[in-house]
């Protein structure tokens, strides 16, 4: 899920797949189809597609989070098709498929961001709803935590990071307050960071013109930086055309404008080069009804492309 969802109090660990009906209407796999779910999560989307695959079908799921792989394994264990779950970054999709001896696939799905269970996991330190260690690594094999960035980056670079990845116009002020605070003691928890940002913006959580928590953008920026999210997405998008069969499809659900822009530009460029024959002109967004039942869906944007 995207940054706008971090403010949602996430006690429910069950993740509801976003735009599932729309995907089911638009993507039709043959029973012997091969699909990659590049962000398997809890296996919600994969289950919906996988139950239409027969014994000849193959479902490959990737995720950097070992807990997601475990949950997905449980969810998908009774499917008829062959299920291959790999703990890997989707930036490595090509290498992972070739290790499995798979050259081309019918469908690639990427539902970016985070699962409800990850937001609810205090250990990941992703939410300001609870005070937890300021970590933010979805993959704990990564070296740098959000606390490392917040405590070790100089003020200008910190402001640039909050501006670039959080699109927060108050980035300079936030960086100044962070640096001021850490001169006293390091910022080690999500609660400390959220409080510093609220102070910088003179705004307690829940007050002001928007209901979005004042620290939302700063948290987004740090999460993107810690997990190299945009770089990984760029690598995935550039690998996809070489992995799709003729008429194969790719669907990407993004949750903030930085991700959506990358998807839009990649699809557009591939269309201009006749690599994709068809792309969604405008992003598909969830209905009001879906958002009413799943607040996490509200910032979702789906784009689909078809290989020529
Ligand atoms: C929104 S959840 C996917 C939910 C899934 N569609 C479902 O229905 O259960 C996104 C998942 O992508 C994973 N993820 C994020 N970045 C990744 C990356 N670069 N490579 C692989 N997995 C990633 C997260 O760990 C998370 O489990």
């Amino acid at each position: 899920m995207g940054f706008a969802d971090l403010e949602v109090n996430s006690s429910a660990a069950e993740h509801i797949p976003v735009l599932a009906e729309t995907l089911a209407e638009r993507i039709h796999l043959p029973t012997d189809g091969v699909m990659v779910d590049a962000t398997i999560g809890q296996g919600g989307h994969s289950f919906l597609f996988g139950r239409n695959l027969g014994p000849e079908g193959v479902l490959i799921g990737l995720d950097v989070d070992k807990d997601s792989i475990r949950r997905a394994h449980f969810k998908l264990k009774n499917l008829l098709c062959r299920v291959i779950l790999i703990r890997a970054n989707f930036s490595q999709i090509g290498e992972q498929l070739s290790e499995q001896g798979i050259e081309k696939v019918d469908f690639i799905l990427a539902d970016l961001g985070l699962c409800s269970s990850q937001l609810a996991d205090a250990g990941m330190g992703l939410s300001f709803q609870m005070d937890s260690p300021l970590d933010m690594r979805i993959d704990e094999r990564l070296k740098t935590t959000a606390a490392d960035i917040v405590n070790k980056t100089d003020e200008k670079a910190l402001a640039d990071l909050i501006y670039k990845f959080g699109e927060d116009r108050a980035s300079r002020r936030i960086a100044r307050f962070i640096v001021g605070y850490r001169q006293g003691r390091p910022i080690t928890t999500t609660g400390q960071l959220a409080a510093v940002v609220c102070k910088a913006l003179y705004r307690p959580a829940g007050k002001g013109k928007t209901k979005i928590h004042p620290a939302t953008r700063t948290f987004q920026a740090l999460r993107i930086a810690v997990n190299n999210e945009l770089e990984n997405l760029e690598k995935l998008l550039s690998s996809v055309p070489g992995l799709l069969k003729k008429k194969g499809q790719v669907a990407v659900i993004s949750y903030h404008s930085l991700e959506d822009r990358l998807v839009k530009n990649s699809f557009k460029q591939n269309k201009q080069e006749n690599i994709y024959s068809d792309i969604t002109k405008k992003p598909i967004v969830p209905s009001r009804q879906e958002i009413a039942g799943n607040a996490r869906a509200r910032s979702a944007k789906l784009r689909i492309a078809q290989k020529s």
Side-chain angles (χ1 to χ4, degrees):
M1 308 303 304
F3 79 94
D5 308 291
L6 292 174
E7 84 215 51
V8 176
N9 190 346
S10 179
S11 52
E14 178 72 24
H15 182 88
I16 305 169
V18 172
L19 286 160
E21 262 180 49
T22 313
L23 280 166
E25 276 162 22
R26 294 184 173 239
I27 311 286
H28 301 282
L29 293 176
T31 52
D32 63 350
V34 182
M35 82 163 265
V36 182
D37 186 339
T39 53
I40 194 92
Q42 295 192 5
H45 283 118
S46 271
F47 180 77
L48 299 173
F49 284 104
R51 66 186 179 179
N52 295 324
L53 294 174
E56 305 299 312
V58 185
L59 165 56
I60 302 114
L62 307 178
D63 207 294
V64 283
D65 175 24
K66 63 175 184 321
D67 209 42
S68 291
I69 295 285
R70 189 182 54 76
R71 282 173 189 264
H73 180 75
F74 185 73
K75 176 98 182 172
L76 306 173
K77 65 178 194 284
N78 292 327
L79 290 180
L80 290 178
C81 64
R82 199 170 134 215
V83 177
I84 304 168
L85 299 180
I86 310 167
R87 187 180 182 200
N89 197 300
F90 57 53
S91 61
Q92 305 285 311
I93 186 170
E95 293 88 325
Q96 294 301 332
L97 290 183
S98 79
E99 266 181 37
Q100 300 299 325
I102 296 169
E103 265 181 49
K104 303 272 181 196
V105 305
D106 296 282
F107 176 46
I108 297 175
L109 170 69
D111 176 21
L112 303 171
L114 301 165
C115 284
S116 313
S117 51
Q118 294 170 318
L119 291 169
D121 179 352
M124 282 197 178
L126 288 157
S127 171
F128 32 72
Q129 293 294 340
M130 54 198 143
D131 196 18
S132 48
L134 187 58
D135 191 319
M136 297 198 186
R137 290 170 302 163
I138 305 174
D139 181 348
E140 88 274 2
R141 297 168 298 188
L142 291 169
K143 298 262 175 315
T144 307
T145 67
D148 292 330
I149 296 178
V150 156
N151 291 301
K152 293 179 188 159
T153 309
D154 71 51
E155 188 177 322
K156 181 174 178 312
L158 196 55
D160 289 348
L161 185 150
I162 296 169
Y163 187 73
K164 188 170 161 208
F165 295 147
E167 297 184 306
D168 197 322
R169 293 211 201 139
S171 59
R172 310 234 157 268
R173 199 175 154 76
I174 295 168
R176 185 155 25 99
F177 271 68
I178 289 175
V179 170
Y181 183 97
R182 77 186 191 200
Q183 275 160 6
R185 59 185 166 129
I187 298 174
T188 56
T189 71
T190 53
Q192 268 175 306
L193 178 63
V196 176
V197 177
C198 286
K199 214 167 160 195
L201 302 180
Y202 302 119
R203 196 149 56 83
K207 295 272 154 65
K209 274 188 231 146
T210 104
K211 277 198 222 127
I212 289 182
H213 189 291
T216 302
R217 291 174 180 280
T218 302
F219 271 62
Q220 169 182 302
L222 287 167
R223 198 193 87 196
I224 290 177
V226 166
N227 297 291
N228 300 318
E229 291 184 15
L230 301 182
E231 216 179 293
N232 290 333
L233 178 56
E234 277 178 328
K235 285 189 187 154
L236 171 70
L237 292 168
S238 65
S239 303
V240 165
L243 299 171
L244 287 177
K245 294 180 189 171
K246 198 171 160 44
K247 305 256 177 258
Q249 286 169 297
V250 54
V252 183
I253 306 175
S254 62
Y255 294 89
H256 57 74
S257 56
L258 296 170
E259 286 172 346
D260 184 54
R261 209 171 298 147
L262 291 180
V263 180
K264 180 172 100 181
N265 291 340
S266 164
F267 283 11
K268 214 166 129 188
Q269 174 151 2
N270 282 307
K271 173 85 169 42
Q272 276 162 4
E273 293 172 18
N274 290 324
I275 294 168
Y276 290 153
S277 59
D278 199 17
I279 61 173
T280 39
K281 287 194 182 71
K282 289 213 166 125
I284 302 163
V285 296
S287 64
R288 265 196 231 154
Q289 202 185 354
E290 178 171 358
I291 295 169
N294 181 12
R296 294 179 188 290
R298 73 190 162 203
S299 49
K301 288 200 168 102
L302 165 66
R303 292 183 188 268
I304 300 173
Q306 184 171 52
K307 177 101 182 275
S308 300

